[in-house]
């Protein structure tokens, strides 16, 4: 009985520690959005600097997420979790103390490194500590907590910014991180997957390639689209991404095997996820500033008025999950993306300097319902598109592509905004925001069409996949439960439950 009580206590501690860590990392995706006007007023900086305060975090998080999981497998999951948490906590303090916008951007990039190491391991540690019979409930609580972080991010950021100072959106992480560090050391059990393969080459290729492309998109308007740094960033970045794709085809143990994209379901849901985050994340970046700079709301009021969008998944996702169980994931995902596209289009139609909140509310609600319909079945579609031994790497890939989409969304929509408008006046800001929203709506509409590639009622285990191919997947891929990537909302699907193995992953966070 004492042993059973000790095991139960260990599981509870693991749930508390990993859920709080997941909340912090998920919160830092959107918590900064409602603070952007205050950061700009305090630290200065142009549009591209504000874009980097968001993208520096999402980009480093995305490209290092799967490497972080493999590092934990090889060198100890608890040890690397503590390393990631330490980096994240220290970088949060550095962001709060940043004397200028460049220092803030650098600290945000280091925050993303810490989150990329920490977050994939939260689920691995949690599933190792929780008995199989209670694992589903534990993962559900974890997903709800990270979903709450996404929903409340703009509100928490706005409230802290208005009533204390914008620096407190980062200071908030410091005491929590300092409290978690000794708890993690004392209450979490160590585990390894010593044969885990580290794809350093693939990580370097995708990191440098994405940085070059995002740098060019963010700075193109300011430096000139035909200038050497911008053209060089686009050309070299694209070449490195192509090299990464080739590495995924011919390389040994690549972080993202390109053969997975031969499956229609895997291709459809991942391309749709990238485009969804491109349109959604870039739109939130601009609209959170519009609500303050043009509509005249305080940071707290702006955060509250974003809740029909960011908070809707908490209400609708359970219903969407039931629907996807009954009719399959494809129609629910496609309908959700279509509603999100319509919502962004409505925003573009009604936005003007004197627009009322009542006129914006239908767009907010439609966008929120669409987001919820997408999130609920997305993870199970990802999991059902691959073999069980590949579910960990599939989950990690999907979460990484979401984060990449978020970084590209801020860069692309920011570039459109800079070309068509600016911060000079409410009219100029609206002139830049409206065409950017149309681009975001178009990206999500293409995502809806791409989702139709997903086969209806996709089989959990395609019969035509040869058993010997499964042997190619290393044990490390099984343990890459790269969940809770920033910026996605409540997404707790983990594929088919097999009691005696760790679930391969749980969806991410925006």
């Amino acid at each position: 009985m004492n042993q059973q009580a000790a095991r139960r206590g260990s599981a509870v501690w693991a749930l508390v520690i990993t859920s709080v860590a997941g909340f912090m990392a998920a919160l830092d995706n959107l918590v900064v959005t409602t603070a952007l006007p205050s950061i700009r007023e305090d630290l200065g900086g142009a549009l591209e600097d504000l874009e980097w305060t968001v993208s520096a975090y999402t980009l480093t998080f995305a490209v290092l997420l799967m490497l972080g999981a493999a590092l934990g497998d090889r060198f100890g999951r608890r040890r690397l979790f503590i390393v990631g948490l330490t980096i994240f906590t220290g970088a949060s303090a550095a962001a709060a103390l940043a004397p200028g916008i460049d220092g803030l951007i650098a600290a945000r990039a280091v925050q993303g490194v810490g989150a990329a190491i920490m977050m994939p391991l939260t689920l691995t540690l949690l599933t190792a500590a929780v008995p199989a019979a209670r694992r589903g409930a534990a993962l559900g609580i974890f997903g709800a907590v990270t979903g709450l972080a996404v929903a409340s991010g703009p509100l928490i950021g706005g409230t802290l910014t208005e009533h204390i100072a914008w620096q407190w959106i980062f200071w908030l992480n410091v005491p929590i991180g300092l409290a978690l560090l000794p708890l993690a050391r004392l209450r979490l059990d160590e585990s390894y997957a010593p044969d885990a393969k580290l794809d350093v080459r693939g990580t370097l290729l995708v990191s440098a390639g994405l940085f070059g492309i995002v740098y060019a998109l963010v700075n193109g308007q300011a430096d000139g689209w035909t200038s050497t740094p911008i053209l060089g960033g686009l050309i070299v970045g694209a070449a490195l991404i192509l090299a990464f794709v080739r590495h995924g085809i011919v390389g040994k143990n690549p972080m993202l095997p390109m053969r997975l994209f031969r499956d229609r379901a895997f291709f459809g849901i991942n391309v749709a996820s990238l485009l969804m985050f491109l349109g959604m994340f870039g739109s939130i970046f601009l609209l959170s500033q519009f609500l303050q700079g043009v509509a005249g709301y305080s940071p707290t009021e702006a955060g509250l008025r974003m809740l029909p969008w960011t908070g809707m998944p908490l209400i609708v996702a359970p219903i969407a999950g039931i629907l996807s169980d009954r009719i399959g994931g494809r129609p629910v995902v496609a309908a959700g993306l279509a509603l999100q596209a319509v919502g962004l289009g409505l925003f573009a139609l009604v936005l003007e300097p004197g627009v009322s909140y009542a006129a914006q509310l239908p767009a907010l609600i439609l966008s929120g319902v669409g987001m919820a319909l997408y999130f609920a079945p997305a993870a199970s579609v990802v999991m059902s598109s691959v073999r069980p031994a590949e579910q960990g790497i599939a989950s990690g890939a999907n979460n990484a592509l979401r984060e990449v989409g978020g970084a590209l969304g801020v860069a692309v929509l920011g570039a459109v905004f800079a070309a068509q408008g600016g911060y000079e006046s409410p009219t100029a800001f609206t002139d830049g925001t409206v065409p950017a929203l149309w681009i975001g709506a178009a990206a999500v509409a293409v995502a809806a069409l791409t989702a139709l590639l997903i086969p209806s009622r996709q089989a959990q285990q395609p019969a035509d996949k040869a058993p010997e191919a499964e042997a190619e997947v290393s044990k490390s891929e099984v343990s890459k439960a790269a969940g809770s990537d920033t910026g996605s909302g409540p997404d707790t699907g983990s594929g088919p439950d097999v009691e005696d193995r760790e679930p391969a992953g749980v969806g991410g966070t925006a």
Side-chain angles (χ1 to χ4, degrees):
M1 183 66 69
N2 289 338
Q3 186 176 3
Q4 185 179 3
R7 182 172 175 80
R8 186 182 299 115
S10 176
V12 170
W13 275 113
L15 178 59
V16 170
I17 293 167
T18 57
S19 294
V20 173
F23 184 91
M24 286 197 303
L27 186 71
D28 271 64
N29 271 286
L30 292 180
V31 73
V32 74
T33 54
T34 42
L36 289 173
S38 297
I39 291 173
R40 180 171 175 266
E41 183 179 346
D42 192 12
L43 298 183
L47 170 67
E48 55 267 26
D49 298 311
L50 297 183
E51 292 179 54
W52 277 116
T53 63
V54 178
S55 296
Y57 181 82
T58 56
L59 202 56
T60 53
F61 193 165
V63 299
L64 297 176
L65 188 146
M66 298 181 76
L67 179 66
L71 287 171
D73 289 344
R74 174 173 284 193
F75 298 111
R77 292 158 181 157
R78 182 186 65 182
R79 178 183 299 168
L80 265 293
F81 174 82
I82 291 172
V83 169
L85 181 59
T86 301
I87 294 172
F88 183 86
T89 303
S92 296
L97 294 169
I101 194 71
D102 292 337
L104 177 59
I105 292 169
R108 287 282 286 168
V110 178
Q111 260 194 320
V113 173
I117 298 171
M118 173 178 69
M119 286 310 299
L121 302 174
T122 55
L123 290 168
T124 314
L125 291 164
L126 179 59
T127 53
V130 177
R134 295 186 175 90
R135 200 169 286 155
L139 293 174
I141 293 171
F142 180 92
V145 169
T146 52
L148 179 63
V150 174
S152 60
L155 178 58
I156 291 174
T159 301
L160 291 174
T161 299
E162 181 177 351
H163 297 291
I164 308 179
W166 64 263
Q167 287 87 348
W168 277 90
I169 65 177
F170 302 114
W171 280 128
L172 180 67
N173 295 326
V174 176
I176 298 174
L178 291 176
L180 287 182
L181 284 169
L183 288 175
R185 179 67 182 84
L186 295 172
R187 299 292 183 176
L188 296 177
D189 295 328
E190 187 61 281
S191 62
Y192 297 86
D195 58 347
K197 303 297 190 296
L198 301 180
D199 184 11
V200 177
R201 181 182 179 186
T203 301
L204 292 174
L205 286 173
V206 72
S207 301
L210 285 172
F211 176 80
I213 292 171
V214 172
Y215 173 86
L217 291 172
V218 168
N219 294 281
Q221 188 66 25
D223 295 351
W225 291 102
T226 58
S227 65
T228 301
I230 302 305
L231 285 177
L234 289 172
I235 295 170
V236 174
L240 289 172
I241 293 298
L242 289 175
F244 172 74
V245 172
R246 184 178 183 278
H247 173 69
I249 296 172
V250 303
K252 187 177 181 181
N253 299 309
M255 61 187 294
L256 181 56
M258 292 298 152
R259 58 182 167 77
L260 296 178
F261 288 93
R262 296 173 189 164
D263 185 279
R264 282 173 51 203
F266 187 85
F267 177 85
I269 191 62
N270 280 288
V271 173
S273 296
L274 186 147
L275 291 171
M276 158 69 174
F277 271 74
L278 190 155
M280 180 268 292
F281 219 89
S283 299
I284 289 178
F285 171 78
L286 292 172
L287 287 169
S288 61
Q289 296 181 74
F290 177 90
L291 289 173
Q292 295 178 67
V294 179
Y297 297 116
S298 70
T300 303
E301 291 170 339
L304 281 170
R305 281 161 174 77
M306 292 290 286
L307 279 178
W309 187 354
T310 60
M312 190 64 71
L314 294 177
I315 301 171
V316 178
I319 301 170
I322 294 170
L323 274 176
S324 65
D325 287 341
R326 291 186 177 179
I327 65 175
R330 179 177 70 171
V332 180
V333 168
L337 292 170
L339 285 176
Q340 176 76 89
V342 171
L344 293 178
L346 276 179
F347 263 124
L349 287 173
V350 304
L351 233 55
E352 58 183 14
V355 65
S356 67
Y357 182 67
Q360 300 173 59
L361 194 56
L364 286 164
I365 293 173
L366 275 178
S367 296
V369 172
M371 183 188 293
L373 291 176
Y374 158 78
F375 282 141
S380 61
V381 172
V382 172
M383 294 304 168
S384 66
S385 69
V386 297
R387 295 182 294 272
E390 295 174 320
Q391 286 179 343
I393 199 168
S395 174
N398 183 254
N399 284 297
L401 285 169
R402 292 179 183 185
E403 294 294 321
V404 168
L408 289 175
V410 172
V412 171
L413 270 63
V416 175
F417 171 86
Q420 300 295 321
Y423 288 101
E424 295 80 17
S425 67
T427 299
F429 195 96
T430 305
D431 289 344
T433 302
V434 169
L437 290 176
W438 281 121
I439 297 296
V444 182
V446 174
L449 294 174
T450 305
L452 296 177
L453 293 173
I454 301 168
S456 59
R457 292 288 183 183
Q458 171 75 9
Q460 296 291 341
Q461 272 287 2
D464 59 345
K465 291 186 178 178
E468 58 269 18
E470 192 165 330
E472 299 173 5
V473 184
S474 69
K475 183 179 178 183
S476 65
E477 290 177 351
V478 182
S479 61
K480 286 180 183 175
S484 282
D485 60 28
T486 60
S488 65
D491 181 358
T492 58
S494 58
D497 182 32
V498 180
E499 289 193 352
D500 295 327
R501 66 171 175 83
E502 292 180 358
V506 176
T509 63

